[in-house]
Amino acid sequence: MRILLIGYGKMGHAIEAIALKRGHQIAGTIDRDNANDLQKFNASNTDVAIEFSQPESAFANIKYCLENNIPILSGTTGWLNKKAEVEELCKNNNGTFFYASNYSIGVNLFFQLNEQLARLMADQSEYNVDIDEIHHTQKKDAPSGTAISLAEGIIDNNPNKENWLLEKESEKSITIHAHRVENVPGTHTVKYSSPIDDIEIKHTAHSREGFAMGAVMVSEWLPQQKGILNMKDFLANLKK
C-alpha cells in the first residue's frame, strides 16, 4: 500500500520502519516543517493515512483526508472535543475514519480486561479505584488518552463511577495520577484499594514497536472499510 504519514516524530519513524519491512510504500511524510505539502495527496496517490501529529493540528489533518477520500486512522490525543465534528464529516463524505487512543494489541486486550474487572467490582463498594499512568516527558497532554480510555471503560461498566479527574473529588470520581519521566514508553495501572487488600492490573510497554505495529496492521485493513471505526471493530475482524 501507499501510506501517508502525518506526523513524523518518534512514532512516525517507528511506523515507517515497520511499514517498509512489511512491503508497503511511504507515499509521503508530513510534519510541521512541510504541513502545506498535505495538499499534494489524495485518493489517486495515497491508499491510507496514518495520523500521529499534535493536538492543535490533528483536526485539520483528519478533515483534509476525509474531504479528499483518503481513509485515515489517528492516534493523536488532546483534540477529542472535536471528535463528534469529525464523525459527522466522515458520514457526510462517506469516508473512513478510525480512532484509537492506543494501537497496541496488548493494550487493547488490557482494555477488555479492565472492563471485565470493572463489572466484577461494581458491587464491591468497599473498594476505591484509581488509575496511575507514566509517560515520557515529551508527551504534552495529561492524562494520556490510554488512561482516559481506561477510566471510560470503568465508568461504562460500573454505575458507581460517573467521571474521572486529576484530583480526587468524590467517591463517584476516578482519580488519574499522571507522571512524566524521561525515556519511558508508557505504563498504566488500574488499582482497586480497600482497607483489607488491593487488586491491580498493569500494562507496561517496553518500546514503541507494539503501538507502531498495531497502527500498521489497522492501516492494512482500513482501505476496505467504510464509516467510523475503532479497535474493537478491528479486533473482532482478527477473530474471524
Side-chain angles (χ1 to χ4, degrees):
M1 296 189 310
R2 298 164 298 177
I3 300 174
L4 174 62
L5 299 179
I6 306 176
Y8 199 48
K10 292 180 179 178
M11 190 57 146
H13 281 81
I15 290 170
E16 178 183 45
I18 290 173
L20 292 173
K21 190 174 181 180
R22 290 171 71 91
H24 303 302
Q25 300 175 24
I26 303 302
T29 59
I30 304 295
D31 212 359
R32 289 177 175 176
D33 297 336
N34 68 334
N36 291 334
D37 287 353
L38 182 58
Q39 298 175 18
K40 297 177 181 178
F41 298 92
N42 54 54
S44 70
N45 58 21
T46 305
D47 296 311
V48 65
I50 300 178
E51 201 271 347
F52 279 82
S53 63
Q54 300 296 324
E56 60 270 18
S57 58
F59 175 75
N61 294 333
I62 296 165
K63 182 174 184 288
Y64 176 86
C65 289
L66 290 174
E67 290 177 341
N68 288 273
N69 200 30
I70 301 173
I72 180 167
L73 63 98
S74 174
T76 306
T77 57
W79 65 275
L80 295 182
N81 59 316
K82 292 188 175 181
K83 188 166 180 279
E85 192 174 342
V86 162
E87 292 177 350
E88 186 65 23
L89 190 65
C90 180
K91 292 175 184 176
N92 292 340
N93 286 274
N94 191 30
T96 305
F97 171 64
F98 189 110
Y99 178 77
S101 61
N102 196 307
Y103 282 82
S104 163
I105 301 301
V107 165
N108 281 276
L109 295 174
F110 185 62
F111 285 158
Q112 293 184 22
L113 180 61
N114 172 61
E115 292 174 5
Q116 183 176 353
L117 181 56
R119 288 191 290 271
L120 291 172
M121 299 301 290
D123 295 328
Q124 308 302 319
S125 59
E126 68 274 22
Y127 287 88
N128 181 60
V129 59
D130 285 9
I131 296 171
D132 197 88
E133 60 105 335
I134 307 171
H135 277 86
H136 53 82
T137 52
Q138 293 174 322
K139 185 170 181 60
K140 295 182 178 180
D141 57 314
S144 68
T146 301
I148 293 172
S149 293
L150 287 166
E152 290 174 345
I154 295 169
I155 293 165
D156 289 344
N157 291 278
N158 186 336
N160 301 313
K161 300 299 178 182
E162 295 180 348
N163 60 353
W164 62 265
L165 297 165
L166 288 170
E167 294 183 5
K168 187 69 176 177
E169 183 178 84
S170 72
E171 292 303 314
K172 290 186 175 295
S173 64
I174 301 167
T175 308
I176 300 179
H177 307 278
H179 310 279
R180 296 295 173 261
V181 180
E182 289 285 351
N183 301 317
V184 177
T187 300
H188 293 85
T189 304
V190 178
K191 183 176 181 178
Y192 289 84
S193 301
S194 79
I196 296 173
D197 57 14
D198 295 341
I199 300 171
E200 291 185 11
I201 56 172
K202 180 178 180 180
H203 180 275
T204 303
H206 300 304
S207 72
R208 290 182 178 82
E209 187 173 344
F211 309 102
M213 176 62 79
V216 173
M217 290 172 66
V218 170
S219 77
E220 294 169 342
W221 171 76
L222 201 59
Q224 292 77 42
Q225 314 303 315
K226 282 288 182 184
I228 301 159
L229 302 153
N230 57 41
M231 284 299 288
K232 285 187 177 179
D233 299 311
F234 177 68
L235 292 174
N237 176 74
L238 286 182
K239 293 177 182 178
K240 294 178 181 178

